[in-house]
Amino acid sequence: MDEHSPTRVLSSAPALPLRGAAAQDADEVLRSLGARPAGLSTAEAATRRAAGGPNVLRPHRARPWRVLGRQLRSPVLILLFVTAGVSVFLGEAANAVIIGVILAASIGLGFVNEFRAERAADALHDQLRHRVVVLRDGARDEIDVTDLVPGDIVEVDTGDVVPADLRLLETHSLSCDEGIVTGESLPVEKSVVPVAPDAGAGDLTSCALMGTVVQSGSATAVVVATGTRTEFGRIAQGLGTAQPQTEFQRGLGRFSVLLLEVALILTTLIFVANVLLRRPVLDSLLFSLAIAVGITPQLLPAVVSASLATGSRMLARRRVLVKRLVCIEDLGDMDVLVTDKTGTLTDGRISYAGALAADGTTAPDELLLLGLLATQTDYTTPPGSVPGLNPLDAALWEAPRPTDVRPGDYVRRDILPFDHERRRTTVLVEAHDGSRRVVMKGAAEDVMARCADIPAAASDALAAQYAAGSRVIAVAARAAADGETLTPMSESGFALVGFLVFVDRPKADARASLEKLARLGIAVKIATGDNGAVAEKVLSDLGVASGGTLIGADVDRLDDEELKDAVARVTVFARVSPEQKARIIRLLRHKGRSVGFLGDGVNDALALHQADIGISVDSAADVAKDAADVLLLDKDLGVLADGVTEGRRIFANTIKYLLMGTSSNFGNMVSA
């Protein structure tokens, strides 16, 4: 397909049904959408966005009637409403007015505080951005997903949430988890081959649907539909999005129901006793209702709402976004925190430190060249920031390089993209002279396991780098066979070329943050895909005593009972897969602990979902942010410690009111 072929420039994108796009080949789809492989111009995109609107399902704004509705669901308020109604029916206007004032104060205070908190959350929500790599004006750029329009050319990679309904133009081992749309539990393999026009949503293998998650591989695609015009958008329009109740909400609900039951029983008994004592029926009923009103802590909903709203605003000033107010209480309950290493205990600014040949000596420039070739970008990019790359690849491209290291002299012919199971990237490249070779780059142990010849000094050199706290990526290569295309069976018979070394220094304030968490009684554990020796070195540098390391292979080997004891004792979990992280979190919870998990990658999403309180950051992968309950706008454990303190303060204030109000009310009731 010629990127410079003439195409018509349209002021707004023509409507193209998704199934129509799925049945057409790539060239037809581009023509139908008035698009081109080099992407739209900025002016074209702006015109189409003005005509079609932003790529959103619905505005994220606080709705006053919804907030008010939540204030009216408390069993305590229901009791007060009933009491006021009976008082009016019996002609006791004074009682009804008093109860009405109490109701208005409780509901009004709760509404004002919660609506104000939701407005604050909306303002913080506007600061969070899901980004997507797009071709605009012939160059790769990162934009907000809300700015996508039909006809945009986008790139998606492992872990991305698909930002719109896409027609695939080029795929590399792409599979998507489409359970959110189709209900199917298994990932769906994708390709560019057109499908039948009447295919169902689960059979659109030439398309990627909005809201689904890229399970593995990568792709280049054209946007067909955005916002409510997508498959997911049509489903979402007809669904409510009620959040499940937290443990704190369930506890308050049970307490309110208990008070309601006690009030009803006492009211009935007192009324029956007064009638048996031949007291006037009307006076007996009013006296019973007064007792029922007296036993209820009328301001409980308002106190809880006010406390949570105040806590939310205090956390917002510390750049912590609580997606639901009640999660503040769960944050305060946390006594175990499982976190990744990069960006929390370390600076998170990974930099390229150098290369080592397989025999441990300084490597030639060829090793750096091979590392650059085994990345998911074109090879014409100059040193500097490259959109859409993982931190290690970005560090490689940002590093200065000798003039004889010219990745632009090569063309990538095929790729097996990185995924969290294989932990490596394999590419087939062709030089300008026609020679072809296969290059593999990834976790050192996984790459070395697929090499036929490893120098004796390689293992010692690798161990020395791990002991120094460096992150190490291995590079291997072999000649390509005639006509070879890459499959998982291609990843064998390599020769180890050497190691690329990266550094990520411990944070200057990490020691103080860990000490603060320790004073709060929170045990910190590390779950990382990196080597265990690197994590142990970071803990040692920060002065933290380690309870030992458990690697992913050991996690699989142990049964649940054995692993329960191990996870309670061990501090570092190294080389763990997403499923292993989730299993570790689940078993920590079974030990009776309240477990928080802090993660920012697609491999953390399962663990975030399993934890009592999932914590992520605004720079995280889309799927991680969606799975989290709390988002840190700064990836700082000290901020998290402040959040725990705030959660405990709010819980303590709520309990103080319950104890004071309930004991006082019972005393008044007994006196009456």
Side-chain angles (χ1 to χ4, degrees):
M1 198 182 324
D2 183 3
E3 294 189 5
H4 304 288
S5 60
T7 185
R8 45 191 179 134
V9 178
L10 303 178
S11 60
S12 62
L16 177 64
L18 181 65
R19 284 164 177 78
Q24 296 177 3
D25 63 32
D27 290 321
E28 289 179 293
V29 173
L30 291 175
R31 283 195 296 271
S32 299
L33 291 170
R36 49 188 174 274
L40 302 174
S41 68
T42 302
E44 287 177 292
T47 302
R48 294 186 181 199
R49 189 179 189 276
N55 180 31
V56 294
L57 298 181
R58 58 178 176 269
H60 188 276
R61 290 291 176 264
R63 293 177 171 83
W65 293 112
R66 184 174 296 177
V67 175
L68 182 61
R70 287 200 294 267
Q71 310 306 312
L72 304 176
R73 296 174 187 168
S74 167
V76 175
L77 291 181
I78 293 174
L79 174 61
L80 292 174
F81 271 120
V82 172
T83 306
V86 172
S87 298
V88 171
F89 179 75
L90 296 176
E92 297 292 329
N95 286 342
V97 169
I98 293 173
I99 296 173
V101 170
I102 294 174
L103 281 171
S106 298
I107 295 171
L109 185 58
F111 170 80
V112 169
N113 280 284
E114 186 159 344
F115 185 66
R116 184 187 300 163
E118 287 212 2
R119 293 284 298 274
D122 287 343
L124 286 174
H125 184 273
D126 291 339
Q127 300 178 28
L128 300 177
R129 291 290 181 262
H130 286 195
R131 312 287 288 179
V132 62
V133 177
V134 65
L135 290 178
R136 289 273 175 90
D137 300 311
R140 296 172 81 248
D141 192 13
E142 275 192 325
I143 66 170
D144 194 287
V145 295
T146 61
D147 293 329
L148 282 180
V149 296
D152 264 328
I153 305 298
V154 301
E155 298 177 5
V156 292
D157 202 352
T158 302
D160 290 345
V161 176
V162 177
D165 279 354
L166 310 177
R167 173 57 165 94
L168 301 172
L169 304 177
E170 181 182 351
T171 63
H172 300 286
S173 304
L174 182 70
S175 66
C176 294
D177 180 356
E178 297 185 335
I180 192 171
V181 175
T182 65
E184 296 294 329
S185 59
L186 296 177
V188 178
E189 298 292 332
K190 298 292 185 176
S191 72
V192 299
V193 179
V195 300
D198 57 351
D203 299 320
L204 297 176
T205 55
S206 60
C207 297
L209 305 180
M210 182 186 196
T212 63
V213 179
V214 179
Q215 191 81 6
S216 64
S218 61
T220 301
V222 60
V223 176
V224 176
T226 58
T228 56
R229 294 174 291 277
T230 62
E231 291 287 314
F232 182 73
R234 283 191 285 271
I235 296 172
Q237 277 188 306
L239 295 177
T241 55
Q243 295 275 10
Q245 283 193 325
T246 67
E247 186 59 37
F248 176 71
Q249 285 177 303
R250 288 192 290 270
L252 276 182
R254 288 193 295 267
F255 179 76
S256 298
V257 170
L258 174 63
L259 285 180
L260 180 60
E261 291 172 346
V262 170
L264 290 174
I265 292 172
L266 287 177
T267 300
T268 303
L269 291 177
I270 292 171
F271 177 73
V272 171
N274 275 275
V275 170
L276 293 177
L277 292 173
R278 301 183 184 280
R279 303 290 173 85
V281 174
L282 181 59
D283 290 346
S284 300
L285 180 58
L286 291 176
F287 182 72
S288 302
L289 292 173
I291 294 297
V293 172
I295 200 175
T296 57
Q298 294 91 350
L299 293 178
L300 175 60
V303 167
V304 173
S305 296
S307 297
L308 292 176
T310 302
S312 174
R313 290 195 298 273
M314 293 183 67
L315 290 176
R317 287 197 290 270
R318 294 179 171 87
R319 294 181 59 76
V320 178
L321 171 60
V322 181
K323 293 169 71 174
R324 286 193 294 159
L325 290 183
V326 291
C327 292
I328 298 175
E329 300 278 0
D330 296 309
L331 191 60
D333 285 341
M334 183 173 65
D335 56 9
V336 176
L337 173 65
V338 181
T339 177
D340 61 356
K341 170 175 60 67
T342 303
T344 50
L345 302 181
T346 65
D347 284 330
R349 293 189 294 270
I350 298 173
S351 57
Y352 172 65
L356 293 175
D359 59 3
T361 62
T362 302
D365 295 339
E366 183 188 12
L367 182 52
L368 174 57
L369 173 63
L370 294 177
L372 291 169
L373 294 177
T375 54
Q376 294 177 217
T377 183
D378 60 49
Y379 300 146
T380 60
T381 307
S385 179
V386 181
L389 292 183
N390 67 62
L392 291 173
D393 284 349
L396 268 186
W397 281 95
E398 291 167 4
R401 51 181 180 260
T403 56
D404 60 339
V405 176
R406 296 191 298 271
D409 291 344
Y410 291 80
V411 178
R412 186 177 66 223
R413 296 303 184 190
D414 203 356
I415 183 171
L416 293 178
F418 177 88
D419 64 56
H420 296 286
E421 296 297 328
R422 293 165 47 252
R423 297 191 299 176
R424 58 187 178 272
T425 301
T426 303
V427 295
L428 172 63
V429 296
E430 181 177 329
H432 286 173
D433 61 7
S435 60
R436 293 155 56 96
R437 64 196 308 189
V438 181
V439 183
M440 177 189 294
K441 183 184 72 177
E445 294 85 353
D446 292 89
V447 171
M448 292 168 68
R450 282 151 184 82
C451 293
D453 185 20
I454 300 176
S459 297
D460 293 337
L462 181 62
Q465 292 299 323
Y466 282 152
S470 301
R471 299 190 67 172
V472 183
I473 297 297
V475 178
R478 63 172 174 80
D482 291 338
E484 180 177 4
T485 58
L486 295 183
T487 68
M489 301 301 294
S490 305
E491 296 183 317
S492 61
F494 285 81
L496 182 66
V497 180
F499 305 106
L500 301 172
V501 181
F502 301 83
V503 293
D504 186 12
R505 310 286 182 195
K507 274 187 175 180
D509 59 353
R511 183 191 293 262
S513 298
L514 289 172
E515 291 174 350
K516 192 173 183 179
L517 289 170
R519 289 195 296 271
L520 292 170
I522 298 174
V524 177
K525 299 177 182 290
I526 308 299
T528 177
D530 206 350
N531 184 274
V534 177
E536 292 281 1
K537 179 64 166 60
V538 171
L539 291 178
S540 176
D541 290 343
L542 295 173
V544 177
S546 173
T549 297
L550 194 68
I551 64 173
D554 294 332
V555 172
D556 286 337
R557 179 176 53 81
L558 300 174
D559 62 30
D560 279 0
E561 289 302 319
E562 294 171 322
L563 191 56
K564 278 182 186 178
D565 296 330
V567 297
R569 180 182 68 255
V570 167
T571 304
V572 176
F573 306 100
R575 297 297 193 200
V576 285
S577 68
E579 291 78 11
Q580 290 166 343
K581 287 183 184 180
R583 185 184 176 207
I584 289 167
I585 296 298
R586 176 172 57 82
L587 294 178
L588 277 171
R589 293 181 67 191
H590 284 179
K591 296 293 288 185
R593 315 296 294 273
S594 180
V595 181
F597 181 81
L598 194 160
D600 60 0
V602 61
N603 57 325
D604 297 320
L606 289 175
L608 286 166
H609 183 71
Q610 280 285 340
D612 292 291
I613 182 80
I615 308 160
S616 193
V617 294
D618 68 332
S619 59
D622 293 348
V623 67
K625 286 190 285 191
D626 291 341
D629 303 304
V630 173
L631 291 175
L632 307 181
L633 301 183
D634 292 320
K635 197 171 184 180
D636 184 357
L637 289 181
V639 171
L640 186 58
D642 292 338
V644 173
T645 302
E646 188 63 28
R648 294 181 180 181
R649 185 189 67 80
I650 292 170
F651 183 75
N653 287 342
T654 304
I655 295 301
K656 286 176 187 176
Y657 171 76
L658 283 177
L659 294 176
M660 178 187 69
T662 306
S663 61
S664 173
N665 289 352
F666 265 100
N668 292 336
M669 181 201 69
V670 171
S671 299

